[in-house]
Amino acid sequence: MTAAVLTAPLVASPEPDRDCPLCPRLHDFIAQWRQREPSWFNAPVPTFLPPEGEDAVKLLIVGLAPGLRGANRTGRPFTGDFAGDLLYNTLIAHGFARGQFKARPDDGLELVGTAITNAVRCVPPDNKPVGAEIATCRTFLMPTIARFKNLRAVLALGSIAHQSTVRALGQRVAAFPFRHGGQQQTNGVTLFSSYHCSRYNTNTGVLTEAMFVNVFSQIEEFLQK
């Protein structure tokens, strides 16, 4: 088994503070929604871990950012929007999660050897983080990757998450281009890539369920070696 060889920055924690001020636009946007919807989570969304803890993690899934009425509302990645329906049902089918996904954080669903995070932890306006926000939040993505000493595979969902993950792994984006179904080795892990499982991508046919399932079949086969 090959573990990741990254070293986390000494000044960075894998999880931002609830009132993280590093990206003023995102901080202000969340503040507005705390006033509008005080019962929502409305904070940087933490990494979703399996109950066995971080040492059990062999697969890390990296999305783009929390959805406004999805993870920003519920506090759990990919929970509360369409992308979560496709992602979690696929995870369950391939043994990377157990239980039943009911799109709420108290549904009892548990991850198996898997963790889920986002390249940008705070919800961005119009679901579009800007370059500076992606770069700033990489100070959390880097130690997130480094915290999993038994990590073997990373799945990046979408080109932005892919590019930020490549940079977090200390590599040049030009040397690791994004493509759906991609599988590339770097820094002791294998990086898999998929189009993001958003409703837009599935409605437009950019991503079909069969295409998404095939990526997880590749990951499952890889981790069984």
Side-chain angles (χ1 to χ4, degrees):
M1 180 180 298
T2 303
V5 295
L6 297 182
T7 300
L10 294 177
V11 297
S13 162
E15 300 295 342
D17 293 336
R18 178 172 175 81
D19 295 309
C20 179
L22 295 180
C23 300
R25 186 180 76 117
L26 304 188
H27 181 270
D28 292 347
F29 187 61
I30 285 178
Q32 295 172 18
W33 278 94
R34 285 181 179 177
Q35 291 184 338
R36 293 179 62 172
E37 298 287 351
S39 66
W40 288 11
F41 186 76
N42 285 322
V45 175
T47 301
F48 185 20
L49 299 172
E52 295 81 9
E54 60 188 37
D55 288 355
V57 174
K58 296 180 181 179
L59 168 64
L60 173 65
I61 298 171
V62 182
L64 173 57
L68 178 61
R69 291 174 173 80
N72 178 68
R73 175 176 60 85
T74 64
R76 192 176 73 180
F78 291 91
T79 301
D81 54 25
F82 172 82
D85 293 341
L86 179 55
L87 175 61
Y88 284 111
N89 286 329
T90 305
L91 288 173
I92 292 169
H94 287 268
F96 295 115
R98 56 179 172 248
Q100 187 175 1
F101 177 66
K102 297 180 180 179
R104 59 177 200 268
D106 63 349
D107 57 14
L109 180 134
E110 296 179 339
L111 297 176
V112 178
T114 303
I116 304 176
T117 195
N118 279 307
V120 176
R121 301 297 184 87
C122 292
V123 58
D126 300 319
N127 293 320
K128 295 179 180 179
V130 299
E133 293 160 352
I134 298 167
T136 296
C137 215
R138 202 153 47 243
T139 61
F140 300 106
L141 181 58
M142 291 173 66
T144 294
I145 295 173
R147 72 190 288 192
F148 303 121
K149 67 181 184 180
N150 293 314
L151 186 66
R152 296 185 60 205
V154 179
L155 171 60
L157 299 177
S159 60
I160 294 176
H162 171 88
Q163 291 169 8
S164 194
T165 300
V166 168
R167 291 188 171 104
L169 288 165
Q171 302 294 343
R172 296 182 304 111
V173 169
F176 294 86
F178 171 81
R179 67 178 180 86
H180 177 81
Q183 183 175 339
Q184 304 168 89
Q185 293 183 334
T186 177
N187 278 16
V189 299
T190 297
L191 175 61
F192 294 82
S193 300
S194 170
Y195 292 128
H196 195 283
C197 50
S198 67
R199 184 184 294 274
Y200 176 83
N201 281 347
T202 56
N203 282 350
T204 58
V206 171
L207 177 71
T208 66
E209 183 175 348
M211 290 167 62
F212 197 59
V213 167
N214 185 59
V215 171
F216 279 91
S217 295
Q218 294 178 39
I219 296 172
E220 185 179 12
E221 181 180 357
F222 168 77
L223 291 177
Q224 289 175 347
K225 295 179 181 177

